[in-house]
């Protein structure tokens, strides 16, 4: 018996020594070969102003062929309230794309005094952000101006912005930048370690194309949905350059207002990064707590306190009402009929001693069930 126990302990210790762990919240590592499809999924839109998330496809974004489908990968994403869905964006490992056309969407009527704005304008004015996911990695946001380039690793990237003229403009073009490094365990395969989105607003002077089968590429089946009359350098025919801030700020270029027919486009740029390890790719996200405005924390705390106070007041009102009724009945003068009969306990007195009363059937089973339930909770 002693020998058997020692063997079990030795096997357990060997198993502990042989275990190799990695650190990542809620996902396993995944490697991709050249030209393998990489899913880009969209999550709910969030805002620091309203704290009320909305479904991504509640706004008239481009919809994937066959319709959007829920794409939660684990129970935790579902329980946390995430609404992760498929997207029409086509990504392939190490395959750069240049000004790919997605669709032409009708965003609704323009902004006018006395007229209710469309959904996009409302979302932009409430500072809603897109939250995209690639390989279980949330998108970072890159913002660029004449002086600096800033990258934020929280809350995704904005749906649009308010211009100096007070009008709402939509970000209808995105540069999708993905960093990768070779897999340590698999040959000719790669792992994703960074996912950054740089949004732009570009006013494409375009005309819809009904049938354009000549532009189909053998590597990724995409068709042109519009003919751009004033393309920027990256959107010109057969262009092999990515969209930059200088291109969209050239003389004569204007941002796209959040109204009417809008052409959505995107670039995909793959970049080798051997410095960031896959197991530590989430570290920069977890270290961005200071970037979250204090307003978000205070609003969350206030929201929780209001809910606690409301529920406590409801419970207190119910208890006081029942106890007051029982106490008044106990304190009133007894009638002759009540004196003749022993007053039976009722109301809250029926359960005042139940906590000390053992069950009549299998007290041990109750104790085991309570203990197990407490551990599971």
């Amino acid at each position: 018996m002693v020998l058997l126990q020692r063997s079990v302990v030795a096997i357990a210790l060997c198993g502990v020594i042989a275990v190799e762990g990695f650190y990542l919240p809620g996902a396993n590592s995944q490697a991709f070969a050249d030209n393998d499809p990489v899913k880009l999924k969209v999550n709910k839109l969030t805002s620091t102003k309203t704290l009320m998330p909305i479904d991504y496809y509640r706004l008239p974004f481009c919809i994937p062929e066959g319709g959007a489908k829920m794409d939660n990968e684990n129970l935790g994403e579902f329980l946390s309230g995430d609404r992760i869905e498929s997207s029409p964006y086509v990504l392939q490992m190490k395959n750069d794309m240049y000004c790919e056309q997605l669709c032409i969407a009708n965003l609704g009527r323009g902004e006018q005094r006395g007229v209710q704005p469309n959904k996009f304008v409302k979302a932009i004015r409430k500072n809603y952000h897109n939250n995209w996911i690639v390989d279980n990695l949330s998108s970072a946001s890159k913002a660029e101006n004449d002086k600096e380039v800033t990258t934020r690793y929280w809350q995704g990237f904005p749906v649009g912005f308010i211009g100096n003229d007070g009008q709402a403009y939509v970000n209808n073009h995105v540069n999708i930048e993905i960093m990768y490094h070779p897999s340590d365990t698999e040959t000719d395969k790669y792992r994703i370690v960074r996912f950054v989105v740089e949004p732009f607003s570009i006013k494409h002077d375009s005309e819809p194309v009904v049938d354009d089968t000549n532009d189909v590429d053998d590597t990724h089946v995409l068709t042109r949905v519009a003919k751009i009359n004033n393309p920027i350098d990256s959107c010109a025919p057969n262009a092999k350059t990515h969209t930059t801030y200088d291109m969209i700020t050239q003389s004569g270029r204007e941002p796209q207002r959040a109204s009417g027919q809008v052409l959505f486009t995107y670039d995909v740029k793959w970049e080798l990064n051997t410095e960031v390890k896959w197991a530590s790719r989430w570290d920069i996200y977890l270290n961005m707590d200071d970037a979250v405005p204090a307003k978000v924390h205070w609003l969350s705390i206030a929201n929780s306190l209001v809910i606690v106070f409301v529920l406590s007041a409801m419970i207190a009102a119910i208890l006081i009402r029942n106890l007051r009724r029982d106490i008044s009945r106990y304190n009133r003068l007894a009638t002759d009929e009540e004196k003749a009969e022993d007053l039976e306990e009722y109301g809250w007195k029926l359960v005042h001693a139940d906590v000390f009363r053992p069950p009549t059937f299998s007290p041990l089973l109750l104790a085991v069930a309570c203990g197990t339930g407490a551990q599971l909770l």
Side-chain angles (χ1 to χ4, degrees), residues 212-245:
D212 193 11
T213 56
N214 294 328
D215 288 342
V216 178
D217 192 342
D218 293 337
T219 58
H220 49 94
V221 181
L222 290 175
T223 59
R224 297 285 176 179
V225 298
K227 178 183 178 182
I228 303 177
N229 298 323
N230 63 337
I232 59 177
D233 294 342
S234 61
C235 295
N238 301 320
K240 294 297 180 182
T241 179
H242 291 291
T243 305
T244 62
Y245 176 77

PDB file of all heavy atoms in Angstrom, residues 212-245:
ATOM      1  N   ASP A 212     -18.430  43.436 -62.524  1.00  0.00           N
ATOM      2  CA  ASP A 212     -17.017  43.711 -62.773  1.00  0.00           C
ATOM      3  C   ASP A 212     -16.210  42.445 -62.503  1.00  0.00           C
ATOM      4  O   ASP A 212     -15.369  42.399 -61.621  1.00  0.00           O
ATOM      5  CB  ASP A 212     -16.537  44.852 -61.870  1.00  0.00           C
ATOM      6  CG  ASP A 212     -15.182  45.389 -62.319  1.00  0.00           C
ATOM      7  OD1 ASP A 212     -14.724  45.026 -63.423  1.00  0.00           O
ATOM      8  OD2 ASP A 212     -14.596  46.162 -61.562  1.00  0.00           O
ATOM      9  N   THR A 213     -16.474  41.413 -63.261  1.00  0.00           N
ATOM     10  CA  THR A 213     -15.833  40.115 -63.023  1.00  0.00           C
ATOM     11  C   THR A 213     -14.386  40.095 -63.459  1.00  0.00           C
ATOM     12  O   THR A 213     -13.636  39.189 -63.102  1.00  0.00           O
ATOM     13  CB  THR A 213     -16.593  39.021 -63.787  1.00  0.00           C
ATOM     14  OG1 THR A 213     -16.643  39.373 -65.185  1.00  0.00           O
ATOM     15  CG2 THR A 213     -18.012  38.900 -63.251  1.00  0.00           C
ATOM     16  N   ASN A 214     -13.946  41.112 -64.230  1.00  0.00           N
ATOM     17  CA  ASN A 214     -12.567  41.119 -64.695  1.00  0.00           C
ATOM     18  C   ASN A 214     -11.584  41.446 -63.585  1.00  0.00           C
ATOM     19  O   ASN A 214     -10.393  41.192 -63.721  1.00  0.00           O
ATOM     20  CB  ASN A 214     -12.410  42.153 -65.828  1.00  0.00           C
ATOM     21  CG  ASN A 214     -13.201  41.754 -67.061  1.00  0.00           C
ATOM     22  OD1 ASN A 214     -13.357  40.568 -67.339  1.00  0.00           O
ATOM     23  ND2 ASN A 214     -13.704  42.746 -67.792  1.00  0.00           N
ATOM     24  N   ASP A 215     -12.078  42.044 -62.506  1.00  0.00           N
ATOM     25  CA  ASP A 215     -11.192  42.436 -61.422  1.00  0.00           C
ATOM     26  C   ASP A 215     -11.055  41.369 -60.346  1.00  0.00           C
ATOM     27  O   ASP A 215     -10.549  41.633 -59.277  1.00  0.00           O
ATOM     28  CB  ASP A 215     -11.684  43.725 -60.775  1.00  0.00           C
ATOM     29  CG  ASP A 215     -11.457  44.917 -61.690  1.00  0.00           C
ATOM     30  OD1 ASP A 215     -10.645  44.815 -62.620  1.00  0.00           O
ATOM     31  OD2 ASP A 215     -12.127  45.935 -61.465  1.00  0.00           O
ATOM     32  N   VAL A 216     -11.547  40.163 -60.600  1.00  0.00           N
ATOM     33  CA  VAL A 216     -11.449  39.099 -59.605  1.00  0.00           C
ATOM     34  C   VAL A 216     -10.019  38.603 -59.523  1.00  0.00           C
ATOM     35  O   VAL A 216      -9.395  38.295 -60.533  1.00  0.00           O
ATOM     36  CB  VAL A 216     -12.404  37.937 -59.951  1.00  0.00           C
ATOM     37  CG1 VAL A 216     -12.255  36.828 -58.933  1.00  0.00           C
ATOM     38  CG2 VAL A 216     -13.837  38.439 -59.972  1.00  0.00           C
ATOM     39  N   ASP A 217      -9.499  38.520 -58.339  1.00  0.00           N
ATOM     40  CA  ASP A 217      -8.137  38.061 -58.102  1.00  0.00           C
ATOM     41  C   ASP A 217      -8.173  36.586 -57.723  1.00  0.00           C
ATOM     42  O   ASP A 217      -9.040  36.142 -56.987  1.00  0.00           O
ATOM     43  CB  ASP A 217      -7.500  38.873 -56.979  1.00  0.00           C
ATOM     44  CG  ASP A 217      -6.009  38.641 -56.880  1.00  0.00           C
ATOM     45  OD1 ASP A 217      -5.519  37.639 -57.424  1.00  0.00           O
ATOM     46  OD2 ASP A 217      -5.348  39.479 -56.258  1.00  0.00           O
ATOM     47  N   ASP A 218      -7.201  35.825 -58.212  1.00  0.00           N
ATOM     48  CA  ASP A 218      -7.182  34.381 -57.944  1.00  0.00           C
ATOM     49  C   ASP A 218      -6.851  34.085 -56.486  1.00  0.00           C
ATOM     50  O   ASP A 218      -7.241  33.058 -55.959  1.00  0.00           O
ATOM     51  CB  ASP A 218      -6.159  33.688 -58.858  1.00  0.00           C
ATOM     52  CG  ASP A 218      -6.581  33.750 -60.322  1.00  0.00           C
ATOM     53  OD1 ASP A 218      -7.794  33.901 -60.570  1.00  0.00           O
ATOM     54  OD2 ASP A 218      -5.696  33.679 -61.195  1.00  0.00           O
ATOM     55  N   THR A 219      -6.126  34.966 -55.820  1.00  0.00           N
ATOM     56  CA  THR A 219      -5.708  34.687 -54.454  1.00  0.00           C
ATOM     57  C   THR A 219      -6.809  34.964 -53.448  1.00  0.00           C
ATOM     58  O   THR A 219      -6.908  34.295 -52.444  1.00  0.00           O
ATOM     59  CB  THR A 219      -4.465  35.523 -54.110  1.00  0.00           C
ATOM     60  OG1 THR A 219      -4.785  36.912 -54.287  1.00  0.00           O
ATOM     61  CG2 THR A 219      -3.306  35.140 -55.021  1.00  0.00           C
ATOM     62  N   HIS A 220      -7.621  35.949 -53.685  1.00  0.00           N
ATOM     63  CA  HIS A 220      -8.748  36.218 -52.801  1.00  0.00           C
ATOM     64  C   HIS A 220      -9.866  36.791 -53.664  1.00  0.00           C
ATOM     65  O   HIS A 220      -9.724  37.813 -54.299  1.00  0.00           O
ATOM     66  CB  HIS A 220      -8.371  37.192 -51.679  1.00  0.00           C
ATOM     67  CG  HIS A 220      -7.666  38.416 -52.160  1.00  0.00           C
ATOM     68  ND1 HIS A 220      -8.318  39.585 -52.459  1.00  0.00           N
ATOM     69  CD2 HIS A 220      -6.353  38.626 -52.412  1.00  0.00           C
ATOM     70  CE1 HIS A 220      -7.451  40.492 -52.852  1.00  0.00           C
ATOM     71  NE2 HIS A 220      -6.256  39.943 -52.835  1.00  0.00           N
ATOM     72  N   VAL A 221     -10.979  36.100 -53.690  1.00  0.00           N
ATOM     73  CA  VAL A 221     -12.065  36.428 -54.600  1.00  0.00           C
ATOM     74  C   VAL A 221     -12.788  37.681 -54.097  1.00  0.00           C
ATOM     75  O   VAL A 221     -13.602  37.628 -53.196  1.00  0.00           O
ATOM     76  CB  VAL A 221     -13.054  35.244 -54.722  1.00  0.00           C
ATOM     77  CG1 VAL A 221     -14.166  35.599 -55.703  1.00  0.00           C
ATOM     78  CG2 VAL A 221     -12.314  34.002 -55.187  1.00  0.00           C
ATOM     79  N   LEU A 222     -12.403  38.822 -54.652  1.00  0.00           N
ATOM     80  CA  LEU A 222     -13.028  40.084 -54.323  1.00  0.00           C
ATOM     81  C   LEU A 222     -13.341  40.824 -55.611  1.00  0.00           C
ATOM     82  O   LEU A 222     -12.546  40.786 -56.559  1.00  0.00           O
ATOM     83  CB  LEU A 222     -12.112  40.941 -53.445  1.00  0.00           C
ATOM     84  CG  LEU A 222     -11.885  40.464 -52.008  1.00  0.00           C
ATOM     85  CD1 LEU A 222     -10.871  41.355 -51.325  1.00  0.00           C
ATOM     86  CD2 LEU A 222     -13.179  40.481 -51.234  1.00  0.00           C
ATOM     87  N   THR A 223     -14.437  41.476 -55.690  1.00  0.00           N
ATOM     88  CA  THR A 223     -14.818  42.227 -56.878  1.00  0.00           C
ATOM     89  C   THR A 223     -14.934  43.700 -56.530  1.00  0.00           C
ATOM     90  O   THR A 223     -15.217  44.069 -55.393  1.00  0.00           O
ATOM     91  CB  THR A 223     -16.166  41.728 -57.428  1.00  0.00           C
ATOM     92  OG1 THR A 223     -17.162  41.881 -56.429  1.00  0.00           O
ATOM     93  CG2 THR A 223     -16.071  40.268 -57.840  1.00  0.00           C
ATOM     94  N   ARG A 224     -14.684  44.525 -57.522  1.00  0.00           N
ATOM     95  CA  ARG A 224     -14.859  45.955 -57.362  1.00  0.00           C
ATOM     96  C   ARG A 224     -16.344  46.281 -57.342  1.00  0.00           C
ATOM     97  O   ARG A 224     -17.093  45.832 -58.205  1.00  0.00           O
ATOM     98  CB  ARG A 224     -14.173  46.693 -58.511  1.00  0.00           C
ATOM     99  CG  ARG A 224     -12.659  46.499 -58.552  1.00  0.00           C
ATOM    100  CD  ARG A 224     -11.987  47.305 -57.460  1.00  0.00           C
ATOM    101  NE  ARG A 224     -10.543  47.062 -57.426  1.00  0.00           N
ATOM    102  CZ  ARG A 224      -9.716  47.654 -56.581  1.00  0.00           C
ATOM    103  NH1 ARG A 224     -10.191  48.501 -55.688  1.00  0.00           N
ATOM    104  NH2 ARG A 224      -8.431  47.398 -56.591  1.00  0.00           N
ATOM    105  N   VAL A 225     -16.754  47.037 -56.328  1.00  0.00           N
ATOM    106  CA  VAL A 225     -18.156  47.404 -56.230  1.00  0.00           C
ATOM    107  C   VAL A 225     -18.396  48.806 -56.755  1.00  0.00           C
ATOM    108  O   VAL A 225     -19.547  49.221 -56.916  1.00  0.00           O
ATOM    109  CB  VAL A 225     -18.643  47.305 -54.772  1.00  0.00           C
ATOM    110  CG1 VAL A 225     -18.525  45.885 -54.268  1.00  0.00           C
ATOM    111  CG2 VAL A 225     -17.879  48.271 -53.873  1.00  0.00           C
ATOM    112  N   ALA A 226     -17.329  49.561 -57.020  1.00  0.00           N
ATOM    113  CA  ALA A 226     -17.484  50.928 -57.498  1.00  0.00           C
ATOM    114  C   ALA A 226     -16.260  51.341 -58.303  1.00  0.00           C
ATOM    115  O   ALA A 226     -15.161  50.792 -58.142  1.00  0.00           O
ATOM    116  CB  ALA A 226     -17.696  51.890 -56.334  1.00  0.00           C
ATOM    117  N   LYS A 227     -16.458  52.298 -59.153  1.00  0.00           N
ATOM    118  CA  LYS A 227     -15.372  52.918 -59.907  1.00  0.00           C
ATOM    119  C   LYS A 227     -15.088  54.280 -59.281  1.00  0.00           C
ATOM    120  O   LYS A 227     -15.955  55.148 -59.227  1.00  0.00           O
ATOM    121  CB  LYS A 227     -15.768  53.095 -61.372  1.00  0.00           C
ATOM    122  CG  LYS A 227     -14.701  53.781 -62.212  1.00  0.00           C
ATOM    123  CD  LYS A 227     -15.185  53.992 -63.632  1.00  0.00           C
ATOM    124  CE  LYS A 227     -14.122  54.735 -64.450  1.00  0.00           C
ATOM    125  NZ  LYS A 227     -14.587  54.993 -65.842  1.00  0.00           N
ATOM    126  N   ILE A 228     -13.861  54.461 -58.790  1.00  0.00           N
ATOM    127  CA  ILE A 228     -13.485  55.695 -58.105  1.00  0.00           C
ATOM    128  C   ILE A 228     -12.936  56.669 -59.147  1.00  0.00           C
ATOM    129  O   ILE A 228     -11.958  56.369 -59.845  1.00  0.00           O
ATOM    130  CB  ILE A 228     -12.448  55.419 -57.007  1.00  0.00           C
ATOM    131  CG1 ILE A 228     -12.998  54.393 -56.007  1.00  0.00           C
ATOM    132  CG2 ILE A 228     -12.085  56.710 -56.290  1.00  0.00           C
ATOM    133  CD1 ILE A 228     -12.015  54.001 -54.928  1.00  0.00           C
ATOM    134  N   ASN A 229     -13.563  57.813 -59.236  1.00  0.00           N
ATOM    135  CA  ASN A 229     -13.161  58.805 -60.244  1.00  0.00           C
ATOM    136  C   ASN A 229     -11.965  59.636 -59.795  1.00  0.00           C
ATOM    137  O   ASN A 229     -11.217  60.125 -60.644  1.00  0.00           O
ATOM    138  CB  ASN A 229     -14.348  59.725 -60.560  1.00  0.00           C
ATOM    139  CG  ASN A 229     -15.517  58.962 -61.156  1.00  0.00           C
ATOM    140  OD1 ASN A 229     -15.330  58.024 -61.937  1.00  0.00           O
ATOM    141  ND2 ASN A 229     -16.742  59.346 -60.774  1.00  0.00           N
ATOM    142  N   ASN A 230     -11.806  59.825 -58.503  1.00  0.00           N
ATOM    143  CA  ASN A 230     -10.684  60.623 -57.993  1.00  0.00           C
ATOM    144  C   ASN A 230      -9.883  59.814 -56.979  1.00  0.00           C
ATOM    145  O   ASN A 230      -9.785  60.187 -55.803  1.00  0.00           O
ATOM    146  CB  ASN A 230     -11.201  61.910 -57.349  1.00  0.00           C
ATOM    147  CG  ASN A 230     -12.089  61.637 -56.147  1.00  0.00           C
ATOM    148  OD1 ASN A 230     -12.668  60.556 -56.026  1.00  0.00           O
ATOM    149  ND2 ASN A 230     -12.164  62.600 -55.231  1.00  0.00           N
ATOM    150  N   PRO A 231      -9.297  58.692 -57.368  1.00  0.00           N
ATOM    151  CA  PRO A 231      -8.655  57.819 -56.376  1.00  0.00           C
ATOM    152  C   PRO A 231      -7.395  58.446 -55.795  1.00  0.00           C
ATOM    153  O   PRO A 231      -6.649  59.153 -56.480  1.00  0.00           O
ATOM    154  CB  PRO A 231      -8.334  56.566 -57.182  1.00  0.00           C
ATOM    155  CG  PRO A 231      -8.158  57.056 -58.584  1.00  0.00           C
ATOM    156  CD  PRO A 231      -9.126  58.183 -58.744  1.00  0.00           C
ATOM    157  N   ILE A 232      -7.166  58.175 -54.512  1.00  0.00           N
ATOM    158  CA  ILE A 232      -5.864  58.495 -53.928  1.00  0.00           C
ATOM    159  C   ILE A 232      -4.849  57.482 -54.451  1.00  0.00           C
ATOM    160  O   ILE A 232      -5.187  56.513 -55.128  1.00  0.00           O
ATOM    161  CB  ILE A 232      -5.939  58.491 -52.393  1.00  0.00           C
ATOM    162  CG1 ILE A 232      -6.391  57.111 -51.885  1.00  0.00           C
ATOM    163  CG2 ILE A 232      -6.884  59.562 -51.886  1.00  0.00           C
ATOM    164  CD1 ILE A 232      -6.427  57.012 -50.369  1.00  0.00           C
ATOM    165  N   ASP A 233      -3.585  57.684 -54.135  1.00  0.00           N
ATOM    166  CA  ASP A 233      -2.535  56.850 -54.727  1.00  0.00           C
ATOM    167  C   ASP A 233      -2.728  55.375 -54.423  1.00  0.00           C
ATOM    168  O   ASP A 233      -2.481  54.513 -55.269  1.00  0.00           O
ATOM    169  CB  ASP A 233      -1.167  57.313 -54.211  1.00  0.00           C
ATOM    170  CG  ASP A 233      -0.829  58.727 -54.693  1.00  0.00           C
ATOM    171  OD1 ASP A 233      -1.464  59.178 -55.675  1.00  0.00           O
ATOM    172  OD2 ASP A 233       0.037  59.373 -54.074  1.00  0.00           O
ATOM    173  N   SER A 234      -3.195  55.057 -53.212  1.00  0.00           N
ATOM    174  CA  SER A 234      -3.352  53.648 -52.844  1.00  0.00           C
ATOM    175  C   SER A 234      -4.560  53.005 -53.499  1.00  0.00           C
ATOM    176  O   SER A 234      -4.636  51.774 -53.585  1.00  0.00           O
ATOM    177  CB  SER A 234      -3.450  53.515 -51.324  1.00  0.00           C
ATOM    178  OG  SER A 234      -4.584  54.230 -50.844  1.00  0.00           O
ATOM    179  N   CYS A 235      -5.529  53.824 -53.958  1.00  0.00           N
ATOM    180  CA  CYS A 235      -6.741  53.295 -54.568  1.00  0.00           C
ATOM    181  C   CYS A 235      -6.696  53.331 -56.099  1.00  0.00           C
ATOM    182  O   CYS A 235      -7.690  52.970 -56.750  1.00  0.00           O
ATOM    183  CB  CYS A 235      -7.965  54.070 -54.089  1.00  0.00           C
ATOM    184  SG  CYS A 235      -8.296  53.879 -52.318  1.00  0.00           S
ATOM    185  N   ALA A 236      -5.584  53.760 -56.650  1.00  0.00           N
ATOM    186  CA  ALA A 236      -5.461  53.777 -58.105  1.00  0.00           C
ATOM    187  C   ALA A 236      -5.378  52.351 -58.636  1.00  0.00           C
ATOM    188  O   ALA A 236      -4.986  51.418 -57.914  1.00  0.00           O
ATOM    189  CB  ALA A 236      -4.228  54.568 -58.509  1.00  0.00           C
ATOM    190  N   PRO A 237      -5.755  52.123 -59.908  1.00  0.00           N
ATOM    191  CA  PRO A 237      -5.682  50.764 -60.481  1.00  0.00           C
ATOM    192  C   PRO A 237      -4.268  50.206 -60.401  1.00  0.00           C
ATOM    193  O   PRO A 237      -3.283  50.891 -60.689  1.00  0.00           O
ATOM    194  CB  PRO A 237      -6.127  50.973 -61.926  1.00  0.00           C
ATOM    195  CG  PRO A 237      -6.977  52.210 -61.892  1.00  0.00           C
ATOM    196  CD  PRO A 237      -6.361  53.088 -60.838  1.00  0.00           C
ATOM    197  N   ASN A 238      -4.175  48.943 -59.960  1.00  0.00           N
ATOM    198  CA  ASN A 238      -2.902  48.216 -59.848  1.00  0.00           C
ATOM    199  C   ASN A 238      -1.926  48.871 -58.867  1.00  0.00           C
ATOM    200  O   ASN A 238      -0.712  48.676 -58.966  1.00  0.00           O
ATOM    201  CB  ASN A 238      -2.232  48.074 -61.214  1.00  0.00           C
ATOM    202  CG  ASN A 238      -3.123  47.345 -62.207  1.00  0.00           C
ATOM    203  OD1 ASN A 238      -3.797  46.371 -61.866  1.00  0.00           O
ATOM    204  ND2 ASN A 238      -3.142  47.822 -63.449  1.00  0.00           N
ATOM    205  N   ALA A 239      -2.443  49.636 -57.926  1.00  0.00           N
ATOM    206  CA  ALA A 239      -1.570  50.285 -56.941  1.00  0.00           C
ATOM    207  C   ALA A 239      -1.049  49.260 -55.946  1.00  0.00           C
ATOM    208  O   ALA A 239      -1.749  48.324 -55.560  1.00  0.00           O
ATOM    209  CB  ALA A 239      -2.330  51.382 -56.217  1.00  0.00           C
ATOM    210  N   LYS A 240       0.189  49.437 -55.524  1.00  0.00           N
ATOM    211  CA  LYS A 240       0.827  48.552 -54.546  1.00  0.00           C
ATOM    212  C   LYS A 240       1.430  49.370 -53.406  1.00  0.00           C
ATOM    213  O   LYS A 240       2.545  49.109 -52.955  1.00  0.00           O
ATOM    214  CB  LYS A 240       1.900  47.698 -55.223  1.00  0.00           C
ATOM    215  CG  LYS A 240       1.351  46.697 -56.228  1.00  0.00           C
ATOM    216  CD  LYS A 240       0.436  45.664 -55.582  1.00  0.00           C
ATOM    217  CE  LYS A 240      -0.114  44.665 -56.579  1.00  0.00           C
ATOM    218  NZ  LYS A 240      -1.034  43.690 -55.961  1.00  0.00           N
ATOM    219  N   THR A 241       0.697  50.360 -52.963  1.00  0.00           N
ATOM    220  CA  THR A 241       1.131  51.180 -51.843  1.00  0.00           C
ATOM    221  C   THR A 241      -0.028  51.342 -50.875  1.00  0.00           C
ATOM    222  O   THR A 241      -1.190  51.414 -51.290  1.00  0.00           O
ATOM    223  CB  THR A 241       1.612  52.566 -52.327  1.00  0.00           C
ATOM    224  OG1 THR A 241       2.011  53.338 -51.203  1.00  0.00           O
ATOM    225  CG2 THR A 241       0.499  53.303 -53.071  1.00  0.00           C
ATOM    226  N   HIS A 242       0.290  51.379 -49.606  1.00  0.00           N
ATOM    227  CA  HIS A 242      -0.746  51.473 -48.587  1.00  0.00           C
ATOM    228  C   HIS A 242      -1.149  52.925 -48.346  1.00  0.00           C
ATOM    229  O   HIS A 242      -0.376  53.862 -48.590  1.00  0.00           O
ATOM    230  CB  HIS A 242      -0.261  50.845 -47.281  1.00  0.00           C
ATOM    231  CG  HIS A 242      -0.116  49.361 -47.353  1.00  0.00           C
ATOM    232  ND1 HIS A 242      -1.192  48.514 -47.455  1.00  0.00           N
ATOM    233  CD2 HIS A 242       0.994  48.572 -47.325  1.00  0.00           C
ATOM    234  CE1 HIS A 242      -0.766  47.254 -47.487  1.00  0.00           C
ATOM    235  NE2 HIS A 242       0.545  47.273 -47.418  1.00  0.00           N
ATOM    236  N   THR A 243      -2.354  53.095 -47.864  1.00  0.00           N
ATOM    237  CA  THR A 243      -2.885  54.420 -47.589  1.00  0.00           C
ATOM    238  C   THR A 243      -2.130  55.056 -46.424  1.00  0.00           C
ATOM    239  O   THR A 243      -1.860  54.413 -45.410  1.00  0.00           O
ATOM    240  CB  THR A 243      -4.386  54.328 -47.245  1.00  0.00           C
ATOM    241  OG1 THR A 243      -5.065  53.659 -48.312  1.00  0.00           O
ATOM    242  CG2 THR A 243      -4.985  55.706 -47.059  1.00  0.00           C
ATOM    243  N   THR A 244      -1.794  56.336 -46.575  1.00  0.00           N
ATOM    244  CA  THR A 244      -1.074  57.071 -45.542  1.00  0.00           C
ATOM    245  C   THR A 244      -1.823  58.352 -45.204  1.00  0.00           C
ATOM    246  O   THR A 244      -2.727  58.790 -45.926  1.00  0.00           O
ATOM    247  CB  THR A 244       0.354  57.417 -45.989  1.00  0.00           C
ATOM    248  OG1 THR A 244       0.281  58.278 -47.143  1.00  0.00           O
ATOM    249  CG2 THR A 244       1.128  56.152 -46.339  1.00  0.00           C
ATOM    250  N   TYR A 245      -1.410  58.952 -44.100  1.00  0.00           N
ATOM    251  CA  TYR A 245      -2.019  60.209 -43.669  1.00  0.00           C
ATOM    252  C   TYR A 245      -1.778  61.325 -44.681  1.00  0.00           C
ATOM    253  O   TYR A 245      -2.645  62.167 -44.915  1.00  0.00           O
ATOM    254  CB  TYR A 245      -1.457  60.587 -42.297  1.00  0.00           C
ATOM    255  CG  TYR A 245      -1.943  61.919 -41.767  1.00  0.00           C
ATOM    256  CD1 TYR A 245      -3.212  62.060 -41.228  1.00  0.00           C
ATOM    257  CD2 TYR A 245      -1.117  63.044 -41.827  1.00  0.00           C
ATOM    258  CE1 TYR A 245      -3.667  63.284 -40.746  1.00  0.00           C
ATOM    259  CE2 TYR A 245      -1.555  64.271 -41.346  1.00  0.00           C
ATOM    260  CZ  TYR A 245      -2.833  64.379 -40.807  1.00  0.00           C
ATOM    261  OH  TYR A 245      -3.269  65.599 -40.342  1.00  0.00           O
TER     262      TYR A 245
END
